[in-house]
Each structure stands twice: as structure tokens, then as C-alpha cells.
């Protein structure tokens, strides 16, 4: 949850409505499947699925919907998330977009970018966020240059 909360905070920042659920590809396969199968009819534009270890949740979701699915591999084992990262590799014909280990913010931003294809307001918010990020970097650069100017 501490990782996924970063995705939720990002979605909230951009005003994107979302739901959060706990499903397991292995322990609640029926519920996970039913959620994915009904997601489009229930108004979803994308699904973000976070899982650790044998992180099959994103693949299980993708197998049951044609919506974009974004997998977040979670660092939750002695393999530091590498096992989760490798387990989201999908066979041809069943894509899952995958972000970095614990990359919840980028998962949310990717979902927002997907939704922004058809939503000009979201696209504008993304443009503004990118400009703000660039301004922060440039301000840090200026401070560094001033501190170490000769």
C-alpha cells in the first residue's frame, strides 16, 4: 500500500477518479477476473495492477480485458523486486505496460497519458506538470551554478 499510495496521490493531483481494490491472481482469481471483465463497462479507461513476488496480477487482468493494463512490480522479497519485474513479461498478443520496480507514480502518469489521448484537459495538466518539473530542475541548476561559480 505505501507504494501504491503514490499512484493514488498522483491520480488525485490530476483529478482522475479511481478505485482501489485488493485482488490476487492466485488467491482471488475469480474476483480479479470479474473485475477486469467488467472494468470497461464500469467506466474504467485503464487498470493499474501492483504485485510482488510472482507478480501475475497484471497479466491476469490483461487476459480478461482489452483496456490498457499497467503493471507495477513491487519490491517485496529477497530478490528486491526482480522476481516481480520478470514475472510481468507477457506472451505476444497480450500486452502489459510495466513501470520500474515500485514505480507507482509513473504507473499513474502513464495511465493519465493514455486517458489524455481523448481528454484535452488532462493533456493540458500533463503539459503544465512537465513545465513545473523542468522549472524545478532549472532552479536547482541555477542555485548550484551560483554556489560554485568562480
Amino acid at each position: 500500500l505505501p507504494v501504491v499510495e503514490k499512484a493514488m496521490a498522483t491520480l488525485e493531483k490530476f483529478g482522475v477518479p479511481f478505485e482501489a481494490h485488493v485482488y490476487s491472481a492466485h488467491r482471488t482469481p475469480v474476483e480479479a477476473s470479474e473485475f477486469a471483465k467488467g472494468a470497461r463497462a464500469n467506466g474504467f479507461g485503464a487498470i493499474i495492477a501492483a504485485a510482488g513476488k510472482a507478480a501475475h496480477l497484471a497479466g491476469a487482468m490483461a487476459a480478461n480485458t482489452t483496456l490498457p493494463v499497467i503493471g507495477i512490480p513491487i519490491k517485496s522479497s529477497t530478490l528486491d523486486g526482480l522476481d516481480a519485474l520478470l514475472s510481468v513479461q507477457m506472451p505476444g498478443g497480450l500486452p502489459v505496460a510495466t513501470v520500474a520496480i515500485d514505480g507507482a507514480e509513473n504507473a499513474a502518469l502513464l495511465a493519465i497519458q493514455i486517458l489524455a489521448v481523448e481528454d484535452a484537459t488532462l493533456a493540458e495538466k500533463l503539459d503544465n506538470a512537465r513545465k513545473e518539473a523542468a522549472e524545478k530542475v532549472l532552479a536547482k541548476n541555477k542555485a548550484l551554478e551560483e554556489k560554485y561559480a568562480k
Side-chain angles (χ1 to χ4, degrees):
L1 184 60
V3 171
V4 177
E5 284 177 330
K6 294 173 186 169
M8 294 186 281
T10 302
L11 293 167
E12 285 176 344
K13 175 182 169 185
F14 281 84
V16 175
F18 64 91
E19 293 180 10
H21 302 277
V22 177
Y23 295 122
S24 167
H26 304 108
R27 292 179 293 272
T28 60
V30 172
E31 292 82 358
S33 172
E34 288 174 356
F35 174 81
K37 286 178 182 175
R40 184 182 299 278
N42 290 325
F44 289 84
I47 295 174
I48 298 173
K53 298 185 180 180
H56 296 126
L57 184 60
M61 292 286 176
N64 288 289
T65 186
T66 56
L67 288 173
V69 176
I70 303 162
I72 306 172
I74 302 293
K75 182 179 177 178
S76 64
S77 72
T78 55
L79 296 176
D80 288 332
L82 183 58
D83 49 345
L85 180 62
L86 295 175
S87 66
V88 292
Q89 301 301 304
M90 298 300 298
L94 199 66
V96 169
T98 306
V99 295
I101 297 168
D102 290 349
E105 180 182 9
N106 274 352
L109 288 170
L110 180 55
I112 293 165
Q113 287 177 310
I114 291 166
L115 298 172
V117 169
E118 296 291 328
D119 186 329
T121 301
L122 271 183
E124 183 177 349
K125 288 179 182 181
L126 283 166
D127 287 340
N128 290 337
R130 292 270 178 104
K131 288 175 188 169
E132 289 172 15
E135 289 169 2
K136 287 179 184 178
V137 170
L138 292 174
K140 288 178 182 180
N141 179 61
K142 183 177 179 183
L144 180 73
E145 288 176 349
E146 289 172 357
K147 182 174 180 178
Y148 293 101
K150 294 184 182 192

